[in-house]
Amino acid sequence: VTGLAVLVPVAGRADPLAHPLALGLLAGACALPFWSTPEVIVDASRYFCQAKALATSGWRAFWSGWGGPIFAWTDLPLTGLLNGLVFRLLGEERLGMQGLNTAFLAGTVLCTSRLGRTLWDAETGFLAGLLVLACPFLCSQVPLLLADVPAMFFFTLAVGGWISALATGGAARIVLAGLGIAGAVLAKFSTWPMLSTLVVAAAVLGPNRHWRQAGRGLGALAVAGLLLAPAAVALWPVLREQLPFLASYQRPGLTRWTESPVSTLLFQTHPLLVTAALAGLARGVRRRERRLLIPLCPLLILAGLAVQRSRYSLPCLPMLALVAGYGLRGLAEVPLRRFLALGAAWSALVTGRLAFVPFLAATSAGNLEPAGHYLDHLGVSQAQVVTLPAEGLVLDSRVALPLLDLHTRVPLLHWPTPQPQPDPETLAAAPLRFTWEMPLPDLYQRPADPSGTAALVVIRGWAGQPLPPAVADLAATYPQAAAFDADSGAFTAKTLITVYHH
């Protein structure tokens, strides 16, 4: 089906290169089977709270409260802002956010294809666009309420728009480049060092028409500056605290919270993608292709920072696909190189859908969605939520409350229970430290309405975890209960849910 989607004749022409939008439509179609993936990363709780703050209070309250009532941690505001606008326009539904991330994936593929076309030729761009999809891990990240997919899109747009503006000029390209740069700056801190790719691109492309390209580059930077200046003024008090914290906590954490590079290369990406990238590197060295330095730059920065987490490397994936596309372009047989690229994308999609999605859906984090939908069908006006301590992990279990809220329309009220506090030294280096420092929004802590109908939701950290006496007394007054306790056992953290109701 995927092969037909790419190769089917459109408007009487069989060559997919004549229809650049075909790759974007294909990318969107490839993401749809992954929408059932549950929110398995607890960082989504922060992003949901940020988006909900904008959806309920408006963008002015969002900006004024960023880093204060709105917990910012090590985040930048663009992802929360965009998701909040989606919630405000379409309602607080996960589908709207997933649609936005799918559009970002499609846009990334289109930008990658266009960038390959600008640097080399249309065939290289087509191959690179296809090879972005040769990563099953990428499609599994599209449905999640995180900043990685938006950051990948805006970084690719920044590099592609910048090179297009330098090479061709035109007001629209210059503005687009400025928008991409501003978006990459506001999406995630990890894209900041990677934006040095723009300097490399200017140096590689500059010698032929130096002054004309300098003017175009300055124009794109001026557009980005006009967009970033008000944000910088508003965010500076928060940034002044975040930047030292990144250096003291996040940067050392990159060496502690790691995944094996072998695992990333063999399971998170298609082997052909890596093999073709190595072939592209060899071909570039042999041909002394200076333009290959542009996609190589962020990959070298990633290696220099010793980032060994698949999720943090997503913004560089389109650059890896460009190097791989350049490698496949060296094959003389056109059908062969297209077959290889298409086969890599197709097999990655099948692997992701048949392996990644069932594995993630079987985790206990997948209990949140059916529990939330169950609450919706009860017809209650509110639900009191008890979050019991996690076992064997430095995790504040309150973080599950916003994720449950993502899946239900029933107003939730938090019932505080004692949480054993980790010692300061352990907490200082804990990867989930933010869960202890993130305050729950006020809307979860308002008094219960005694006149409304309510349910009791208990989120346990392990099977059979006893209830506190007061909670057990209340649970005994509800004659019915429903349990959502699926758990693959793959992760230490558990999210086991029981709903008590009349």
Side-chain angles (χ1 to χ4, degrees):
V1 174
T2 307
L4 291 175
V6 176
L7 300 176
V8 68
V10 181
R13 302 186 66 177
D15 186 1
L17 297 176
H19 309 281
L21 289 180
L23 281 177
L25 294 174
L26 172 63
C30 288
L32 293 178
F34 291 81
W35 279 21
S36 60
T37 304
E39 294 287 350
V40 293
I41 300 177
V42 295
D43 299 66
S45 184
R46 296 199 314 269
Y47 292 106
F48 174 75
C49 289
Q50 294 164 8
K52 189 178 182 75
L54 188 145
T56 56
S57 304
W59 67 270
R60 289 186 179 86
F62 177 85
W63 278 110
S64 62
W66 182 261
I70 301 175
F71 184 61
W73 188 237
T74 58
D75 304 320
L76 288 166
L78 184 59
T79 300
L81 175 68
L82 294 175
N83 287 328
L85 291 174
V86 170
F87 285 169
R88 194 172 180 89
L89 293 174
L90 303 179
E92 199 174 288
E93 298 288 343
R94 191 175 181 228
L95 286 177
M97 177 277 301
Q98 291 176 320
L100 178 64
N101 271 2
T102 299
F104 283 144
L105 173 63
T108 299
V109 170
L110 289 175
C111 288
T112 305
S113 177
R114 181 67 183 179
L115 181 52
R117 180 189 294 253
T118 303
L119 288 176
W120 293 292
D121 53 42
E123 177 74 5
T124 303
F126 175 72
L127 296 172
L130 266 182
L131 288 171
V132 172
L133 301 175
C135 179
F137 178 74
L138 170 60
C139 285
S140 72
Q141 297 298 293
V142 170
L144 306 185
L145 194 67
L146 301 172
D148 303 290
V149 173
M152 177 183 67
F153 166 72
F154 283 108
F155 175 66
T156 310
L157 178 63
V159 176
W162 174 261
I163 292 175
S164 182
L166 293 182
T168 310
R173 292 183 179 88
I174 290 173
V175 170
L176 191 64
L179 288 172
I181 295 169
V185 170
L186 292 174
K188 202 169 183 182
F189 282 110
S190 60
T191 61
W192 288 19
M194 296 177 190
L195 286 173
S196 58
T197 305
L198 306 184
V199 179
V200 174
V204 169
L205 302 175
N208 293 332
R209 289 172 290 181
H210 179 71
W211 294 110
R212 183 177 299 178
Q213 290 187 348
R216 295 167 181 170
L218 289 174
L221 292 176
V223 172
L226 288 174
L227 295 172
L228 291 172
V233 171
L235 297 176
W236 175 243
V238 182
L239 290 173
R240 190 168 51 193
E241 297 179 0
Q242 285 180 313
L243 293 173
F245 182 65
L246 285 167
S248 63
Y249 172 77
Q250 198 76 8
R251 178 67 184 91
L254 294 177
T255 62
R256 295 193 298 264
W257 319 320
T258 61
E259 300 169 19
S260 165
V262 175
S263 169
T264 299
L265 293 177
L266 294 183
F267 299 103
Q268 312 291 10
T269 60
H270 195 285
L272 178 67
L273 179 64
V274 180
T275 304
L278 293 174
L281 178 60
R283 181 175 182 238
V285 171
R286 186 174 62 252
R287 295 165 61 96
R288 297 183 180 180
E289 177 54 79
R290 298 174 69 247
R291 294 188 175 202
L292 198 63
L293 293 172
I294 297 171
L296 283 175
C297 178
L299 297 174
L300 293 174
I301 291 172
L302 192 71
L305 293 174
V307 176
Q308 297 185 35
R309 297 199 70 184
S310 302
R311 188 161 63 88
Y312 292 173
S313 64
L314 276 187
C316 290
L317 176 61
M319 302 298 119
L320 180 65
L322 280 167
V323 181
Y326 181 77
L328 282 186
R329 184 66 175 84
L331 296 175
E333 296 290 336
V334 176
L336 175 60
R337 60 195 183 211
R338 294 192 182 183
F339 172 80
L340 290 174
L342 183 60
W346 166 246
S347 58
L349 173 65
V350 172
T351 301
R353 185 59 187 86
L354 298 184
F356 279 53
V357 174
F359 170 75
L360 296 173
T363 62
S364 65
N367 294 322
L368 290 163
E369 184 170 3
H373 294 167
Y374 183 77
L375 278 175
D376 288 341
H377 287 95
L378 290 180
V380 296
S381 60
Q382 59 191 356
Q384 292 185 294
V385 182
V386 178
T387 55
L388 300 182
E391 181 184 34
L393 195 66
V394 185
L395 169 72
D396 189 337
S397 58
R398 296 176 307 143
V399 75
L401 180 59
L403 295 179
L404 177 62
D405 192 14
L406 173 62
H407 297 295
T408 184
R409 297 184 181 91
V410 175
L412 304 180
L413 309 175
H414 182 238
W415 184 334
T417 54
Q419 295 277 348
Q421 292 283 334
D423 64 85
E425 184 176 349
T426 300
L427 183 60
L432 298 177
R433 171 178 164 179
F434 85 88
T435 63
W436 295 93
E437 299 183 1
M438 182 180 76
L440 285 178
D442 292 341
L443 58 91
Y444 296 131
Q445 304 182 61
R446 62 186 181 278
D449 181 7
S451 63
T453 56
L456 174 66
V457 180
V458 177
I459 302 179
R460 288 179 166 88
W462 67 86
Q465 187 174 12
L467 297 177
V471 178
D473 292 342
L474 179 60
T477 65
Y478 291 97
Q480 300 183 55
F484 303 88
D485 52 6
D487 179 28
S488 65
F491 299 102
T492 302
K494 310 291 183 186
T495 308
L496 310 176
I497 303 173
T498 306
V499 180
Y500 300 90
H501 61 95
H502 290 288

